[in-house]
Amino acid sequence: MRENVRAFYYYPWQRKLFVVFNYLFLTCAALICVLPILNILAISLSSSAAAGSGEVRFWPVDFTWKSYNFVTAKPEFMQSFWVSVRRVLVGVPVNMVLTILVAYPLSKTKHQFHARQFYVWFFFITMLFSGGLIPYYVTISKVGLVDSFWALILPGAVPVYNVIILLNFFRNLPGEIEEAARVDGASYLRVLFQIIVPLSLPAIATLTLFCTVNHWNSWFEGLLLMNDPTHYPLQSYLQTVIVNRDMSLMSTTDILTLSEVSDRTSKAAQTFVAAVPMLVIYPFLQKYFTAGITLGGVKG
């Protein structure tokens, strides 16, 4: 630290100005990201009158837990929270395993994998065209997945966008490493899981974050495919109870509590409750994020 401070004084004034400007710019960028979160937290902890009159900035006014009590008091909240947790714990490994198994052969040249071009277009077309909402629902219904937990997992089990990122990452890895392993008698699966996957941890961690956020924040599938509200994931439950305010899902106590909670404070509480798990997970994967996106997006 002392060496950095000492070196700063030997910089020419242009360099000093550049460093000071960078610190100011990054500080402003950090504040732009953090202050809205603090504002949402302050609104969720304020009274409905204070939030409605626009008095709340970055500190709660007339501190109260009523908005969080409304969101979390019902047993259905914890049940839907557990559905979302299970969805992440099951859905993310399914996504990642299938993404790796699809991306690895597609990362080969057409001389190594003769059907590569066909499968690339097969997956790519699904990104451009879809059958629509009704065929989607009919398909899920015909295979018997409606109102089941697997309806939240299997329809999106292979995220094609993630496959494209990962196969480009695989193509940038030195081919000599795999060739040496093949000469030593290693099978393709052993090469993939003992050599390629450990070398691709930055990209895999980035895609894991993408899949986690997607599963946690998704709400439409729950409303569309679940007939029983007790099977809703957290985001679907919050969408129904707070945003649309389906009174059939509310007890008399909930309605009385709602009369003391404004629309603004309840939505702020909803936003913060839904964002907390991602805010906790992101710092552990952030160090891989830039490397994974950069290397995965460059064609070798």
Side-chain angles (χ1 to χ4, degrees):
M1 182 66 182
R2 292 181 179 178
E3 293 178 357
N4 293 337
V5 173
R6 191 181 301 113
F8 178 80
Y9 289 103
Y10 291 101
Y11 286 153
W13 70 268
Q14 297 93 335
R15 174 64 178 175
K16 294 179 182 178
L17 182 62
F18 176 76
V19 171
V20 171
F21 176 79
N22 267 357
Y23 274 104
L24 291 175
F25 176 77
L26 293 175
T27 301
C28 292
L31 290 175
I32 290 173
C33 295
V34 172
L35 291 181
I37 298 176
L38 294 178
N39 178 249
I40 291 174
L41 178 60
I43 291 174
S44 68
L45 294 173
S46 300
S47 65
S48 58
S53 61
E55 300 176 17
V56 184
R57 294 294 181 266
F58 306 111
W59 192 259
V61 178
D62 299 333
F63 183 90
T64 178
W65 291 100
K66 288 181 179 179
S67 295
Y68 288 96
N69 290 338
F70 172 72
V71 173
T72 61
K74 296 182 66 176
E76 289 82 0
F77 174 84
M78 295 307 300
Q79 192 168 13
S80 63
F81 187 90
W82 173 238
V83 171
S84 287
V85 170
R86 283 197 300 145
R87 181 178 182 177
V88 170
L89 293 179
V90 176
V92 173
V94 168
N95 288 153
M96 293 312 303
V97 169
L98 293 180
T99 298
I100 291 170
L101 291 178
V102 172
Y104 178 63
L106 295 184
S107 66
K108 305 302 178 185
T109 65
K110 62 181 180 180
H111 300 292
Q112 296 172 306
F113 180 38
H114 298 294
R116 177 186 182 277
Q117 202 68 15
F118 168 79
Y119 285 106
V120 167
W121 281 105
F122 178 82
F123 284 104
F124 181 69
I125 287 176
T126 63
M127 295 181 63
L128 304 179
F129 306 100
S130 66
L133 184 60
I134 295 177
Y136 172 77
Y137 180 83
V138 171
T139 301
I140 302 300
S141 178
K142 291 296 184 182
V143 297
L145 292 180
V146 171
D147 207 28
S148 72
F149 173 74
W150 291 103
L152 304 174
I153 305 296
L154 296 182
V158 183
V160 180
Y161 177 76
N162 293 357
V163 170
I164 293 175
I165 292 179
L166 194 59
L167 75 85
N168 283 328
F169 192 98
F170 285 165
R171 294 180 69 180
N172 285 319
L173 297 176
E176 293 79 6
I177 298 177
E178 183 175 351
E179 292 175 4
R182 293 289 297 158
V183 169
D184 289 339
S187 64
Y188 283 111
L189 283 178
R190 186 171 184 180
V191 170
L192 174 60
F193 288 105
Q194 293 190 359
I195 297 177
I196 303 299
V197 169
L199 291 175
S200 306
L201 286 181
I204 291 174
T206 301
L207 298 182
T208 299
L209 179 62
F210 285 173
C211 294
T212 302
V213 172
N214 178 66
H215 279 293
W216 184 262
N217 287 340
S218 181
W219 60 270
F220 184 69
E221 292 88 348
L223 294 181
L224 178 66
L225 302 175
M226 297 299 160
N227 298 326
D228 188 350
T230 61
H231 296 165
Y232 283 170
L234 178 61
Q235 303 299 336
S236 301
Y237 168 79
L238 294 177
Q239 176 74 15
T240 302
V241 174
I242 296 180
V243 178
N244 293 332
R245 291 187 175 175
D246 187 352
M247 296 299 180
S248 65
L249 298 177
M250 297 184 187
S251 64
T252 304
T253 304
D254 296 328
I255 296 175
L256 291 175
T257 304
L258 183 60
S259 65
E260 301 174 349
V261 176
S262 72
D263 182 68
R264 190 176 183 188
T265 59
S266 62
K267 286 185 177 181
Q270 168 204 356
T271 303
F272 199 77
V273 168
V276 165
M278 294 300 102
L279 293 176
V280 172
I281 292 174
Y282 184 81
F284 296 100
L285 298 177
Q286 189 271 339
K287 63 180 180 180
Y288 298 108
F289 190 81
T290 303
I293 289 296
T294 303
L295 295 178
V298 178
K299 294 183 178 180

